[in-house]
Amino acid sequence: MATENKNLSDYDKTTIPNASKFRFGIVVSEWNDTITEGLYDGAYNTLVENGVQPNNIIRWNVPGSYELIYGCKKMQEQMVNAVIAVGSVIQGETKHFDFVCEAVSQGIKDLNVTRETPVIFCVLTDNNMQQAVERSGGKHGNKGTEAAVAAIKMAELRENS
């Protein structure tokens, strides 16, 4: 596992650009909300800890991870410096998991390739609920924290390029 020897919440704050000048959008899937709320909290708290004013963080909810693509596309139009897509897809007994994961990852990739505002992939694609819990504030840290750090770095890259 990618997170087996890494805590997703660990980062060196001295390597993070000053984020006080940036605005961020966070689009959150309501599906598996116990997981997505933990991811949102990790992202939001990390942005604030790195200088982002709370009024410069816009949150929108969408019904599920599949809808993150449209939500992120519309969020890119809101004069934000970066968008974080927050979702959780957990393996079930059907191929639905594969279709949703593929569509969401490709859709977010397409937004990054075709548009100017970066979208950060903070969508857990776990085999079971326990794995999701461990990556949304549990023993492996919080993927939301990692996504917020990436969003700050990408906002800085966009501004300086």
Side-chain angles (χ1 to χ4, degrees), residues 26-82:
I26 306 176
V27 182
V28 182
S29 167
E30 295 172 332
W31 194 259
N32 293 326
D33 65 335
T34 58
I35 302 304
T36 60
E37 287 303 318
L39 295 170
Y40 170 79
D41 289 344
Y44 179 88
N45 292 334
T46 301
L47 292 173
V48 171
E49 287 168 9
N50 284 282
V52 180
Q53 295 300 309
N55 63 326
N56 284 331
I57 302 170
I58 303 168
R59 176 187 172 146
W60 288 352
N61 289 349
V62 295
S65 290
Y66 196 84
E67 292 77 24
L68 285 169
I69 303 161
Y70 182 79
C72 289
K73 178 179 122 179
K74 297 309 281 183
M75 182 65 82
Q76 287 176 311
E77 299 168 3
Q78 299 302 306
M79 302 293 291
V80 295
N81 298 94

Side-chain angles (χ1 to χ4, degrees), residues 9-125:
S9 298
D10 289 344
Y11 68 97
D12 180 356
K13 195 169 181 177
T14 65
T15 66
I16 308 303
N18 181 342
S20 62
K21 60 190 171 204
F22 297 132
R23 292 183 73 225
F24 294 91
I26 306 176
V27 182
V28 182
S29 167
E30 295 172 332
W31 194 259
N32 293 326
D33 65 335
T34 58
I35 302 304
T36 60
E37 287 303 318
L39 295 170
Y40 170 79
D41 289 344
Y44 179 88
N45 292 334
T46 301
L47 292 173
V48 171
E49 287 168 9
N50 284 282
V52 180
Q53 295 300 309
N55 63 326
N56 284 331
I57 302 170
I58 303 168
R59 176 187 172 146
W60 288 352
N61 289 349
V62 295
S65 290
Y66 196 84
E67 292 77 24
L68 285 169
I69 303 161
Y70 182 79
C72 289
K73 178 179 122 179
K74 297 309 281 183
M75 182 65 82
Q76 287 176 311
E77 299 168 3
Q78 299 302 306
M79 302 293 291
V80 295
N81 298 94
V83 177
I84 302 171
V86 174
S88 172
V89 186
I90 298 173
Q91 177 72 54
E93 296 178 4
T94 68
K95 293 185 67 73
H96 180 77
F97 173 86
D98 298 324
F99 298 134
V100 172
C101 292
E102 180 72 17
V104 174
S105 62
Q106 291 300 317
I108 291 174
K109 180 266 301 172
D110 290 346
L111 292 175
N112 278 305
V113 171
T114 61
R115 302 188 76 157
E116 291 300 312
T117 303
V119 179
I120 308 305
F121 189 82
C122 182
V123 181
L124 297 181
T125 56

